[in-house]
Amino acid sequence: VQILAINDFHGHLQPPLGSNGVILVAPADPLASSPDARTTDAGVSLLAAGGAAYLTAHVARLRAENPATIVISAGDLTGASPLLSNLFHDEPSVLVMNRLGLDLEAVGNHDFDRGLPELMRLQKHGCSLGDCDAGSFAGASFEYLAANVIDDSTGRTILPPYAIRDLGGARIAFIGETLAQTPSVTKEGAVTGLSFADEAATANALVPELQKQGVSAIVLAVHQGGMQSLGGPYDGCQGFSGDILPILDKLSPAIEVVLSGHTHQAYDCVLAGRLVTSAASYGRLLTKIDLTIDPSAHRIVEKHARNVPITRDVQPDAEVARIVQAYMDKVGSITGRVVGYVKRTLTGNSRAARIASCETPLGDVIADAMRSATGADIAFMNPGGIRADLVARQEGRPDFAVTYGDVFEVQPFGGSLITMTLRGAQILALLEGQFGSRQEPRILQVSKGFSYLYAYDRAHERAVVSEVRLNGRPIDLAKAYRVTVPSFLAAGGDSFVVLKIGEDRKEGPIDVDALASYLGKVSSAAAPLDAPPGRRIDGDGCK
């Protein structure tokens, strides 16, 4: 039996750019000499990968090798999508996955971004929010699974908890789950009335029921994950850590394969005899799992996994290319509008950029744009809200022009900016809260004029924050400051609960519009914007 798995596709129909569109390859990897690979100044080989038409072609190629194949997504197929998919409520992504032959999708936290009714509409059919574009949407031909998501009003799961498929003469069960912490990482109100149960306990409780139905193997697709140590190969498992480990520790031994996601990292692990995999994000990798099953003994005899890069040296699927182009034609006037100019690509991913302090050039620019839009003293941007690099490119554009579509890909959530009053002591508590019970801290990006130091103790998951300054002066713990944050953070998102008590709240512009406006003010074709100089945060949380 062959399982082909993706995760965290996030509506990336076109080949992604910047760090979102490459895979790290080892120098000895044959792909390092590919025409689509390049070596950075640091000696790192990066392979261009991804694109829905190429992903579909690779799936078709592998499916042809084994008719006993099932294709699964481990969550976040939609949500946090570029404008091409987002503008049409992710219908294009569902249509592309129908063509690709996706069989199952374990819901992820971002699949709830527009609320449960929209998720159910994508599964079934109908008009989005009463707006039908070229007729009613037919819905997904694949099945969504959500074993640990409970409707509080009924006490039942919102979607089937599992699916059983007969493949090559063997019955295999597939359980689908999302992370139990979904409410803390999803916009306020999107999951009201829903409860998210413990992942391991939920999956384990299903095992006897599935075994009674004569399954020979149980696979868990869970939207929670981990990561390798920095620089680990796409098909490796070096220094593995992350929030999925406590789940694996409690998981029944009857579940021998775990397809994971959420962290956007690539890994292929064998942990305590169990396969644990993740295919990075945005359709750059495809996990290929081969199982040899003895149906009479109801057991897996042999199992193996590897991650396959979605190279662009294959003939792209013509029908997917047609679907994508049709939507591109509809939105070209919106996505193609030039809003500013950047001198070089501004990186928003600290791991990709290997930035020890977790501060990124693009994070600085976004925070500056937020502060400029509201006139606040300080602005903080959550790194999880920065979904792409801002790429400097000349292809068919004026020199290094960036478009509204580029900016939207960076900030695709459409949240408003909220300005509030915080005391200096609350700001200090906010900074210390970045180092909660996480394997990797969430370092907020800060605006110009604000700076601080931290010393991070990874073993105890805590940090000492010091030298907190605004415009060179130490902040006064008793003084009131005006602080701007995205609405997601203002509601306590990512467990930054101190922001829920900020006073004198004022709603400002939409985040993506603030960034587009700022780029228009501070850059031109003659003077493109460069990365802000200097370091605002000093620490080593991303090493």
Side-chain angles (χ1 to χ4, degrees):
V1 168
Q2 178 178 241
I3 300 171
L4 302 178
I6 61 172
N7 53 272
D8 298 278
F9 182 70
H10 289 291
H12 276 259
L13 302 173
Q14 297 172 287
L17 299 173
S19 61
N20 284 349
V22 294
I23 290 293
L24 176 70
V25 295
D29 192 316
L31 291 173
S33 58
S34 164
D36 286 334
R38 62 181 175 86
T39 302
T40 68
D41 293 340
V44 175
S45 295
L46 300 174
L47 175 71
Y54 296 108
L55 174 62
T56 304
H58 279 277
V59 168
R61 173 181 61 83
L62 292 172
R63 196 197 301 271
E65 297 175 2
N66 185 350
T69 294
I70 188 167
V71 186
I72 304 176
S73 166
D76 281 4
L77 185 66
T78 57
S81 307
L83 194 59
L84 182 60
S85 184
N86 208 318
L87 194 63
F88 299 97
H89 304 280
D90 281 319
E91 291 178 9
S93 294
V94 172
L95 295 177
V96 162
M97 287 297 149
N98 288 348
R99 166 64 181 176
L100 178 144
L102 183 67
D103 293 289
L104 301 170
E105 154 81 344
V107 295
N109 56 292
H110 283 294
D111 289 312
F112 291 96
D113 277 356
R114 296 188 186 93
L116 181 59
E118 267 293 277
L119 173 60
M120 299 304 291
R121 186 188 69 85
L122 291 181
Q123 169 69 102
K124 298 177 181 179
H125 57 81
C127 303
S128 177
L129 307 177
D131 176 21
C132 280
D133 184 79
S136 180
F137 173 62
S141 60
F142 52 89
E143 185 176 10
Y144 285 86
L145 303 176
N148 67 330
V149 186
I150 311 300
D151 185 332
D152 293 339
S153 65
T154 66
R156 295 192 295 268
T157 59
I158 60 168
L159 290 158
Y162 60 82
I164 296 177
R165 295 289 187 269
D166 292 316
L167 296 166
R171 285 172 62 77
I172 305 177
F174 299 91
I175 301 171
E177 297 183 322
T178 190
L179 67 157
Q181 295 82 15
T182 289
S184 69
V185 295
T186 305
K187 64 175 64 175
E188 189 178 29
V191 292
T192 300
L194 303 179
S195 296
F196 294 79
D198 180 83
E199 304 93 339
T202 299
N204 291 345
L206 291 170
V207 169
E209 177 182 338
L210 295 171
Q211 290 175 332
K212 287 180 181 178
Q213 298 184 59
V215 301
S216 298
I218 302 175
V219 176
L220 173 62
V222 58
H223 193 69
Q224 179 58 285
M227 64 194 72
Q228 299 187 65
S229 54
L230 198 60
Y234 64 83
D235 205 28
C237 190
Q238 297 180 2
F240 190 73
S241 62
D243 291 334
I244 197 171
L245 286 175
I247 299 172
L248 298 174
D249 289 342
K250 297 183 291 183
L251 211 55
S252 166
I255 302 172
E256 296 188 52
V257 179
V258 176
L259 315 174
S260 65
H262 188 55
T263 58
H264 292 203
Q265 301 301 307
Y267 46 86
D268 165 14
C269 303
V270 179
L271 302 174
R274 178 184 287 126
L275 291 181
V276 181
T277 68
S278 174
S281 59
Y282 308 139
R284 293 174 291 161
L285 288 178
L286 178 68
T287 302
K288 172 180 164 60
I289 296 176
D290 294 299
L291 303 179
T292 303
I293 296 173
D294 182 348
S296 61
H298 299 295
R299 70 184 185 93
I300 298 175
V301 177
E302 188 176 345
K303 54 184 180 288
H304 176 73
R306 65 184 177 93
N307 279 328
V308 179
I310 303 305
T311 57
R312 301 170 188 169
D313 57 356
V314 298
Q315 184 69 31
D317 183 85
E319 176 60 16
V320 168
R322 185 198 66 77
I323 294 170
V324 173
Q325 186 61 53
Y327 281 96
M328 288 175 60
D329 292 343
K330 294 180 181 181
V331 301
S333 62
I334 300 173
T335 60
R337 177 171 61 89
V338 173
V339 297
Y341 300 82
V342 292
K343 190 171 184 178
R344 68 198 74 210
T345 293
L346 298 177
T347 305
N349 185 319
S350 57
R351 282 180 66 87
R354 290 172 164 73
I355 300 170
S357 69
C358 303
E359 177 187 356
T360 67
L362 183 53
D364 288 349
V365 169
I366 292 173
D368 289 348
M370 293 165 58
R371 181 171 173 264
S372 173
T374 64
D377 298 310
I378 310 163
F380 295 106
M381 176 63 193
N382 56 309
I386 304 173
R387 309 300 293 191
D389 299 337
L390 194 58
V391 179
R393 56 177 176 174
Q394 293 176 286
E395 302 166 12
R397 301 182 185 176
D399 285 359
F400 308 123
V402 293
T403 66
Y404 189 78
D406 296 330
V407 174
F408 193 94
E409 188 169 343
V410 170
Q411 293 187 277
F413 297 106
S416 58
L417 301 181
I418 305 296
T419 303
M420 63 182 69
T421 296
L422 293 177
R423 301 285 174 181
Q426 293 169 324
I427 293 173
L428 179 60
L430 175 70
L431 299 177
E432 292 175 342
Q434 299 171 121
F435 307 91
S437 56
R438 297 180 182 275
Q439 293 293 328
E440 185 170 336
R442 292 285 184 95
I443 303 297
L444 299 170
Q445 306 298 285
V446 302
S447 55
K448 183 178 180 180
F450 188 81
S451 63
Y452 66 95
L453 310 178
Y454 71 85
Y456 182 47
D457 180 352
R458 189 176 296 277
H460 298 92
E461 294 184 340
R462 62 183 179 85
V464 176
V465 176
S466 62
E467 299 295 321
V468 185
R469 298 179 180 275
L470 179 60
N471 299 324
R473 298 180 180 180
I475 64 165
D476 184 336
L477 297 183
K479 184 178 177 180
Y481 297 89
R482 293 296 282 171
V483 175
T484 295
V485 297
S487 55
F488 170 72
L489 285 182
D494 275 346
S495 299
F496 288 108
V497 293
V498 68
L499 291 172
K500 296 178 72 172
I501 61 176
E503 299 176 340
D504 301 324
R505 293 175 176 243
K506 182 179 179 180
E507 185 172 2
I510 300 298
D511 50 12
V512 63
D513 293 336
L515 178 56
S517 175
Y518 180 75
L519 291 172
K521 292 176 182 177
V522 301
S523 69
S524 66
L529 178 67
D530 203 352
R535 177 180 285 185
R536 303 171 187 183
I537 306 170
D538 198 353
D540 61 357
C542 285
K543 279 187 177 179

